Amino acid sequence: MSITDLGHHDYVISDSRSVEADSIGVMGEESEGSWASRFISSPHLKCSAIVILLALAWFFPLLQGKSYSAVPGYRNAVFPWAATNNGNQFFPQSDQPSLSLPLQSELSLAVKSGTIPLWNPNSFGGQPLFSDGSSAVAYPPKLILADTVSPTTAHNVLSLLHVTLAGLFTYWLLIDLEVSPLAALFGAVAWMFGSFTLAWLQLEVVAPLFTWFPAGLATIRRAVTHSWLWVAISAGSIAMLFISTHLLFADICMVTICAYGGLLALSFLRRHWKLGERWTALLPSMRGGSAVALGVGLASVVLIPTAYALKDISRQPLTFAQITKIFVLWPPDLKYIVLPPALPISDPKMEWGMAFVGTLTALFAVVGLFLRRKGSGLGRGLMIGAFIVAVGGPAGWLAYRFVPGMNVFRPYSRLLFVFDMGLAVLGAVGLDATVKKIAGSGSADSSMSFRHSRKPETSQSRRWWLSRAFALLVVAVTAFQLGNYGRHINPPFLPSSGNLILSETPLIHALRVPNGGVAGWPNRVLPANDSTNGWQPPMLDSNVSLMFGLASAGGYESSTPTRTVDLWRVVAGEDPNEVVSTKLPGAFQPRFDASSVRFDLLPRLGVDQIALTPAAAGLPVATSELGRLGWKLTYSGNDGSVFRWSGPPTGPVVVFNATVVTGDRQALEEFARPGFDYRVSVVLNGRRSGTLTTPGEATVVSAKEGTNFASIATKSSHAGILVIPEMWDRGWSADVNGKPIPVLRANFNQQAVHIPAGPATVTLKFRPVGFVKGLVVTSISLLIFLGIGLWAVWRAWLAPRRSRSQPNSPESRASR
């Protein structure tokens, strides 16, 4: 079977026979012996073992009982822990303790109770979680670890797992590009320990792309150029990519994978179409397209609900002019290809300067850049494509217009991960060419090749050993350089105790004491800060309240629904008219300033506790306002202060009056009006404005909120409206006394249902819109996936038996 050099389009198989009959071995051309025997007797086993050993060496402190976490330094920058400085440095990977670790904690609680959290009730007064495009709660490794180990241990294991698999899949990709084993090992080391990889590894929602991006490239290549079994494997890789990582990063990886597979299929199509081999020409395109479609289908249980949810988010697309003015890559930053950014790594450097994958990698990439051989086209395409998009210009504009998510993805310098993969591939290609040159042209194949492993002639022995020693030295130097630099990018490994966790301080203990509200309904806290005297460590920043099961008005999310954001912006002190007319350009991470918060709105939103930083608690305007409104100081310490609501209990309430308005602006204005009594009336949207009044009395007997559901018992003298201080979403459904009833959007963005007179039990359940559709598509795709896989394996198993049954076949003659 011959291989044709296609230059920048890489290589494709040019045999006129159907490539369906290809074996499932490591290389398509190899048919002698089983895959297992070839692998065990080949350098692949040794190189794969080296990848694993290098990963274990970098993470060796984990085996000593230490942990890989940004929590220690983060504690010093956030109250209530900032009250006691532990002396650890703050690192820019703060999303690990503020986002990933809390979400893993919430996932662990849900999984151990027998479910998956589709809704997050503890941030922003409630928010979709499963369909947010960034939580990855359906990622199988996360689910398994959530049920078996602590969130900190889960983070350690996931970090080690993704670095190891990143190296193995990159090695596999390079071997399939016919790069020699030691050169492929070099490329794998460059990718798995590259500065972008290790700088972003702490972020659990980004880390999986370092595994599934090279896996996607390798498997789409095999799907196009080999067999239908690889279609199923490629589909699995694509599905894992979408399920495991942030949707914006997954989109970029997917476009890159599709472009690579498409160019391979197009080259094959062009060549064989001219030869009149129409069916042979179309097969690669069919297999590549099937892999992509099947992969998307397998991930549909997540993708379809996410597509529905994204229609309602507040994130405002940026204009291309805004992106090119602020968020494009500055070309001089590519100097970091050769030498890494100076330490310590700051937030700007983490965003703009992570192009370093080793000095020797950059030098050998220059060699590979000008070669015309398999792998060089892929490397050039990744590097050049990422660069011309990242710097803006025509290519950036095309990506902005036609690549999903590029109108909100920022900064474009984050595309450096694609650039780094191109560097790793070209570096491996360049090293491969160099060592073969050292070995001499007469032993080019024998020096490093997988398929020609016999020792060279005695006259060439010295050059042969010199080439191998040189390759090993390059791998060792690069592993040491990147590994050492990566240790300084990240927080140090520390013992898995003490300040590696967000411990319960006295302030948090005070917040966890029930406040005497509606029986069973959780307390909700608003964390507030003081920014009048410059930046101060915030209180309960981002999602950290999830670590303690506390419901918070704060949070951290990149796809928060628009009305949820608008409501909390008004609480923060913004004018309702301005809020409705302006949207946010990025993730929602509210910082409530005590000097401007609308404290009068908090009971309406189910907030019955306020946590203030020490500086905020000392503001006269905050403390005097709180006392006037009915908030009582219940705790004060060096970690902050807690105020509790002393008025009527917060939580679900039955009302008999309704104010009907015709639009969102009017609803928000009415709900935020100082004189609005949330315990008597509710704001509803309708076609005509007006007021509905019905006399009556009612009691909320009990209320319970769980994972994806709520249950409320009421007793009312007349029919009324039950208002639940939880954010509304189209995915909520309800039944009253066993009968389905719509969940109304009330008070701009809260839930409400009609209840009858007498006793009533209201049960609310949440399923993301599109969840059932996605589950059906995924189930069908899974059956197809299994069918293709089993059919391909059966054909591979049957092929040699057919050959033996046909004595005159070429295979039978060759075996005699």
Side-chain angles (χ1 to χ4, degrees):
M1 188 172 289
S2 62
I3 301 291
T4 304
D5 187 350
L6 297 175
H8 66 284
H9 289 319
D10 220 319
Y11 288 68
V12 294
I13 301 170
S14 60
D15 195 302
S16 60
R17 294 175 296 170
S18 171
V19 292
E20 290 183 76
D22 188 22
S23 72
I24 61 173
V26 176
M27 293 298 297
E29 294 84 349
E30 298 171 16
S31 57
E32 301 85 1
S34 68
W35 179 88
S37 63
R38 290 199 307 272
F39 182 81
I40 292 173
S41 63
S42 76
H44 291 333
L45 182 60
K46 299 174 184 177
C47 289
S48 298
I50 291 173
V51 168
I52 296 171
L53 288 174
L54 286 173
L56 288 173
W58 201 87
F59 285 99
F60 183 73
L62 298 183
L63 305 180
Q64 298 176 310
K66 297 182 179 180
S67 282
Y68 177 64
S69 174
V71 168
Y74 177 79
R75 288 168 54 101
N76 298 327
V78 177
F79 274 105
W81 304 278
T84 304
N85 193 303
N86 59 23
N88 287 286
Q89 179 186 349
F90 179 85
F91 284 82
Q93 299 97 332
S94 59
D95 277 8
Q96 187 260 327
S98 68
L99 177 66
S100 300
L101 190 63
L103 288 178
Q104 186 69 22
S105 299
E106 186 169 29
L107 178 63
S108 181
L109 289 174
V111 170
K112 289 178 180 178
S113 68
T115 188
I116 295 176
L118 308 177
W119 178 263
N120 173 10
N122 294 328
S123 296
F124 310 123
Q127 123 107 25
L129 182 62
F130 184 85
S131 57
D132 66 353
S134 61
S135 61
V137 295
Y139 186 35
K142 290 188 70 172
L143 289 173
I144 294 170
L145 291 170
D147 192 41
T148 55
V149 298
S150 70
T152 298
T153 302
H155 173 70
N156 292 335
V157 173
L158 288 171
S159 300
L160 172 60
L161 175 69
H162 288 132
V163 167
T164 305
L165 292 180
L168 291 175
F169 283 133
T170 304
Y171 176 83
W172 176 21
L173 169 66
L174 291 168
I175 286 297
D176 203 40
L177 291 169
E178 294 190 344
V179 174
S180 55
L182 288 179
L185 176 62
F186 173 60
V189 167
W191 174 250
M192 66 192 286
F193 293 129
S195 62
F196 195 103
T197 301
L198 293 185
W200 289 80
L201 183 65
Q202 287 276 5
L203 282 61
E204 290 176 15
V205 75
V206 177
L209 77 85
F210 304 122
T211 290
W212 300 112
F213 182 41
L217 291 172
T219 56
I220 195 67
R221 171 183 171 77
R222 290 236 131 202
V224 169
T225 62
H226 285 70
S227 66
W228 283 96
L229 176 61
W230 286 101
V231 170
I233 298 173
S234 179
S237 297
I238 290 170
M240 291 294 277
L241 175 65
F242 277 121
I243 291 173
S244 66
T245 192
H246 196 291
L247 186 59
L248 292 178
F249 280 104
D251 284 344
I252 292 167
C253 292
M254 190 62 193
V255 169
T256 306
I257 291 167
C258 288
Y260 179 49
L263 286 174
L264 289 174
L266 182 62
S267 299
F268 195 96
L269 176 66
R270 182 179 58 186
R271 179 178 182 84
H272 285 268
W273 197 269
K274 290 180 180 179
L275 297 175
E277 300 168 346
R278 304 295 174 83
W279 176 246
T280 301
L282 290 174
L283 270 176
S285 299
M286 292 172 59
R287 287 198 300 269
S290 297
V292 172
L294 185 58
V296 173
L298 289 170
S300 288
V301 68
V302 173
L303 292 180
I304 290 178
T306 301
Y308 279 106
L310 292 179
K311 296 178 181 178
D312 299 327
I313 67 171
S314 65
R315 194 159 182 163
Q316 181 72 20
L318 300 168
T319 66
F320 188 64
Q322 290 173 317
I323 288 175
T324 54
K325 183 178 180 180
I326 306 174
F327 297 116
V328 294
L329 176 69
W330 192 39
D333 282 341
L334 291 185
K335 64 178 180 287
Y336 297 129
I337 292 174
V338 179
L339 293 174
L343 297 168
I345 295 299
S346 60
D347 284 320
K349 287 180 182 177
M350 185 172 167
E351 293 283 5
W352 304 97
M354 295 292 100
F356 184 66
V357 289
T359 302
L360 294 179
T361 309
L363 296 178
F364 285 113
V366 174
V367 177
L369 186 66
F370 297 101
L371 293 177
R372 183 179 176 83
R373 55 149 292 173
K374 188 180 290 190
S376 59
L378 173 61
R380 284 193 296 265
L382 293 174
M383 281 185 61
I384 296 172
F387 175 77
I388 62 177
V389 173
V391 297
W397 180 84
L398 288 173
Y400 173 85
R401 288 295 304 273
F402 299 109
V403 177
M406 289 301 288
N407 59 353
V408 295
F409 183 80
R410 61 184 177 89
Y412 274 18
S413 58
R414 291 181 179 180
L415 291 170
L416 283 173
F417 80 90
V418 179
F419 186 91
D420 283 356
M421 174 56 77
L423 269 176
V425 171
L426 285 179
V429 170
L431 177 62
D432 190 36
T434 302
V435 296
K436 287 180 179 179
K437 187 71 174 178
I438 294 173
S441 58
S443 60
D445 286 335
S446 64
S447 64
M448 304 286 287
S449 175
F450 167 44
R451 289 167 295 165
H452 304 276
S453 58
R454 65 182 183 276
K455 293 184 179 179
E457 300 296 331
T458 304
S459 60
Q460 298 174 332
S461 178
R462 182 176 300 176
R463 299 185 68 176
W464 184 81
W465 283 110
L466 179 61
S467 67
R468 293 175 66 87
F470 177 76
L472 285 169
L473 179 63
V474 169
V475 171
V477 169
T478 301
F480 177 80
Q481 183 186 37
L482 291 176
N484 183 61
Y485 183 70
R487 281 286 177 87
H488 291 88
I489 293 176
N490 290 277
F493 289 88
L494 294 174
S496 299
S497 61
N499 59 19
L500 266 183
I501 62 173
L502 295 172
S503 54
E504 182 174 315
T505 71
L507 179 139
I508 292 175
H509 179 74
L511 291 174
R512 299 182 72 176
V513 176
N515 195 27
V518 175
W521 197 255
N523 299 345
R524 181 169 292 149
V525 59
L526 180 132
N529 319 298
D530 169 32
S531 62
T532 57
N533 297 310
W535 184 87
Q536 300 286 335
M539 172 62 72
L540 291 173
D541 185 48
S542 302
N543 280 328
V544 295
S545 61
L546 301 181
M547 297 287 295
F548 308 97
L550 292 172
S552 174
Y556 182 20
E557 179 57 66
S558 60
S559 55
T560 313
T562 299
R563 292 190 186 92
T564 300
V565 172
D566 290 349
L567 196 52
W568 293 111
R569 287 175 64 190
V570 171
V571 171
E574 296 186 56
D575 181 78
N577 285 304
E578 180 182 350
V579 163
V580 172
S581 60
T582 61
K583 303 303 173 188
L584 300 179
F588 185 47
Q589 191 177 14
R591 296 286 173 83
F592 297 104
D593 194 317
S595 62
S596 58
V597 168
R598 289 280 306 274
F599 293 115
D600 60 311
L601 299 181
L602 300 187
R604 308 179 194 183
L605 294 164
V607 175
D608 57 1
Q609 300 185 105
I610 300 170
L612 299 179
T613 62
L619 291 174
V621 63
T623 53
S624 62
E625 177 75 1
L626 289 173
R628 183 183 65 82
L629 293 172
W631 295 87
K632 304 297 183 182
L633 179 66
T634 58
Y635 169 80
S636 181
N638 64 349
D639 57 345
S641 298
V642 174
F643 287 79
R644 288 199 165 192
W645 175 242
S646 62
T650 59
V653 60
V654 178
V655 301
F656 299 93
N657 301 324
T659 301
V660 182
V661 297
T662 57
D664 282 350
R665 186 188 302 270
Q666 294 82 358
L668 185 55
E669 288 178 339
E670 177 62 22
F671 180 67
R673 181 172 56 84
F676 178 75
D677 190 347
Y678 72 100
R679 300 193 63 82
V680 174
S681 184
V682 62
V683 181
L684 300 175
N685 285 65
R687 296 182 179 180
R688 296 182 181 180
S689 300
T691 303
L692 304 176
T693 303
T694 303
E697 295 182 356
T699 302
V700 175
V701 179
S702 65
K704 179 182 179 181
E705 185 177 55
T707 304
N708 310 324
F709 79 94
S711 179
I712 304 163
T714 65
K715 187 175 182 180
S716 178
S717 62
H718 295 78
I721 300 175
L722 174 65
V723 182
I724 304 102
E726 186 85 0
M727 295 296 105
W728 179 87
D729 186 273
R730 290 179 294 166
W732 282 102
S733 62
D735 63 66
V736 178
N737 294 334
K739 297 180 180 180
I741 191 169
V743 179
L744 307 175
R745 182 168 62 85
N747 291 342
F748 182 68
N749 199 46
Q750 291 184 328
Q751 302 170 21
V753 294
H754 288 286
I755 61 168
T761 300
V762 180
T763 303
L764 297 108
K765 295 180 181 179
F766 180 77
R767 295 291 182 274
V769 176
F771 181 76
V772 175
K773 292 180 182 178
L775 189 59
V776 170
V777 174
T778 294
S779 299
I780 295 173
S781 300
L782 184 59
L783 291 175
I784 297 172
F785 169 82
L786 294 174
I788 290 176
L790 292 174
W791 173 74
V793 171
W794 178 77
R795 289 198 66 194
W797 177 80
L798 193 62
R801 289 158 179 77
R802 285 179 174 174
S803 299
R804 288 194 295 269
S805 66
Q806 299 175 6
N808 294 323
S809 67
E811 292 83 356
S812 296
R813 292 196 299 269
S815 64
R816 294 174 196 166

